[in-house]
Amino acid sequence: MAPNGAEGDKVLYLFDGGELSPETVEGIHLQADELKAVRFVPPHEIADRTIPRLTRRILAAIEARVESAPVYLEHGQAPGDLAA
C-alpha cells in the first residue's frame, strides 16, 4: 500500500466508473479465490472499512464526482492541506 518508503515514489489513480445499473450489479460474479463479497456502502461507512489514506482518496473522489471535476491529491490530501 502506498506510500511505502521501500517502494519509492509512485502515482496512484482512482477512476470513477460511473453508476452501475441493477442489471450490471446482478451480473457481478466473484472469483471465490480472490473475493468473498461485493458490497456498496454509503460514504459515512468508508472509514470503518479501509485505512485512513484510502478513505481520504475515496471521499475526495466522491466529492470530485459531485463537482464534475478531477482532483489532485498528495498522500490522499489536497496539496494546500499538507504541512510544509
Side-chain angles (χ1 to χ4, degrees), residues 37-55:
V38 62
R39 181 174 297 129
F40 297 95
V41 299
H44 70 270
E45 290 185 19
I46 293 171
D48 296 332
R49 299 181 177 274
T50 190
I51 58 176
R53 62 180 177 261
L54 185 53
T55 296

Side-chain angles (χ1 to χ4, degrees), residues 9-63:
D9 292 338
K10 59 179 82 172
V11 176
L12 304 173
Y13 296 96
L14 179 62
F15 294 96
D16 180 348
E19 189 171 330
L20 301 179
S21 69
E23 295 81 18
T24 299
V25 174
E26 289 175 20
I28 294 174
H29 298 284
L30 305 177
Q31 292 181 305
D33 58 334
E34 292 186 16
L35 299 170
K36 294 179 185 178
V38 62
R39 181 174 297 129
F40 297 95
V41 299
H44 70 270
E45 290 185 19
I46 293 171
D48 296 332
R49 299 181 177 274
T50 190
I51 58 176
R53 62 180 177 261
L54 185 53
T55 296
R56 291 192 303 268
R57 288 180 175 96
I58 294 169
L59 293 177
I62 292 169
E63 184 176 335

